[in-house]
Amino acid sequence: MSWIGWIILGALAGWVAKLITKEEGGLLKNIILGVIGGVIGGGIVQVLGGSPVNGFNIYSFIVAVLGAMLLIYLVRAINKK
């Protein structure tokens, strides 16, 4: 997937994750959350034995959203201490 695709997927995944978790922030935060969330989610899926995440599809999107949500919860837990 091209870097433009990663940015688009990241923006959408980060936005959905922020809606679900009621997180604040703008477009740049959406992109960062979604892209890093995709990397985190993809790594977890591969460690658990799932198929690699490739391309711009619903599977990639769901993995990126779940990874972004995990990232949000981890940052909240660290900031709470």
Side-chain angles (χ1 to χ4, degrees):
M1 183 172 5
S2 73
W3 61 274
I4 295 172
W6 279 108
I7 290 172
I8 293 169
L9 181 73
L12 292 172
W15 177 68
V16 170
K18 280 184 14 181
L19 288 176
I20 293 170
T21 61
K22 295 177 177 47
E23 182 71 16
E24 299 292 324
L27 179 63
L28 183 60
K29 188 172 183 179
N30 289 349
I31 294 169
I32 292 168
L33 279 173
V35 171
I36 294 174
V39 171
I40 292 170
I44 291 171
V45 165
Q46 286 186 334
V47 166
L48 295 176
S51 62
V53 178
N54 291 326
F56 192 85
N57 54 43
I58 192 70
Y59 178 66
S60 300
F61 180 73
I62 291 170
V63 168
V65 169
L66 293 174
M69 289 173 58
L70 178 61
L71 180 61
I72 290 169
Y73 290 130
L74 287 173
V75 169
R76 283 182 182 172
I78 290 169
N79 287 338
K80 195 178 260 189
K81 291 182 179 182

